[in-house]
Amino acid sequence: ANSGNVSSISCHEYGCRIICRLLECSGGFHGTVRLVDTILQDIDTHLTLTYGHYVIQSILEHGAQHQRDYVMSKVQSNVMRYASNRSGAHVVQKALASGSDDDQQTLANRLLTCTTEESILLASSQAGLGIVRLLMKMEEPIPQRTLEHFGLDAVQSKVFKGKQGRSSLGRQGASGR
């Protein structure tokens, strides 16, 4: 299969489901590994497309170790780009939830060193708030650092204007600042 056909199938509304099922049922088979390696040649497209991100999430869960490592390194290399994209944010959430402890810490640290503008963008989107919620569920000191980072006055004024910000971060104690 040429990479153009595989890429278009894996980013299709129904094609992505077929690839995900292949990974779930036969992720370790040689043919599936080769197919996924071909998909990963176009990982940037998959990370940011509506249906492509499902395939990348499935790779994080069911892919071969070298494929999971590759996805994780790609996400870590430009985490704010992916976190600020609706589809990419789902992959960042999956990486935070299913990565190794070291990978989770690296992602969290990169997310918590973003600029004020990036923080506002992240915390003002529904997908971004999902990332913030996952940060709040991690082991200390990540939740405390998350509260400090997203408690900045400039961020707080933007985040807590919307219903999404009040309901998710407010429950964590940040709204009382």
Side-chain angles (χ1 to χ4, degrees):
N2 85 34
S3 66
N5 289 338
V6 172
S7 185
S8 64
I9 290 169
S10 60
C11 290
H12 184 270
E13 179 180 8
Y14 302 116
C16 71
R17 296 172 189 188
I18 294 167
I19 303 295
C20 289
R21 293 307 87 71
L22 271 171
L23 277 159
E24 290 169 16
C25 299
S26 62
F29 290 140
H30 180 69
T32 305
V33 171
R34 285 188 31 224
L35 179 73
V36 172
D37 286 342
T38 302
I39 290 168
L40 290 176
Q41 292 173 7
D42 195 21
I43 189 171
D44 287 323
T45 301
H46 287 78
L47 278 164
T48 57
L49 288 180
T50 302
Y51 299 108
H53 78 88
Y54 291 112
V55 173
I56 301 302
Q57 287 175 268
S58 190
I59 293 168
L60 280 171
E61 191 170 353
H62 305 288
Q65 187 62 50
H66 76 276
Q67 295 165 339
R68 293 191 309 258
D69 291 343
Y70 181 74
V71 171
M72 193 63 74
S73 70
K74 194 67 169 176
V75 171
Q76 289 173 354
S77 72
N78 206 347
V79 69
M80 285 311 300
R81 174 178 175 230
Y82 301 121
S84 62
N85 173 279
R86 183 177 170 190
S87 295
H90 293 294
V91 176
V92 173
Q93 288 176 26
K94 184 62 143 182
L96 277 170
S98 65
S100 70
D101 289 343
D102 287 342
D103 287 334
Q104 290 176 1
Q105 289 295 317
T106 299
L107 277 174
N109 288 329
R110 292 195 178 164
L111 286 162
L112 294 173
T113 56
C114 65
T115 66
T116 301
E117 293 79 21
E118 290 171 325
S119 296
I120 292 169
L121 181 63
L122 184 66
S124 61
S125 72
Q126 187 173 5
L129 283 174
I131 294 170
V132 174
R133 282 187 207 106
L134 283 173
L135 291 171
M136 293 300 296
K137 292 178 182 178
M138 293 179 74
E139 291 184 25
E140 288 295 344
I142 299 300
Q144 183 60 40
R145 288 184 54 213
T146 302
L147 285 174
E148 291 167 3
H149 187 74
F150 289 95
L152 297 169
D153 291 340
V155 175
Q156 206 170 18
S157 66
K158 180 75 175 174
V159 170
F160 296 116
K161 283 183 181 178
K163 181 179 176 185
Q164 292 172 342
R166 279 192 303 277
S167 66
S168 70
L169 291 178
R171 285 190 300 250
Q172 300 295 337
S175 64
R177 292 182 176 212

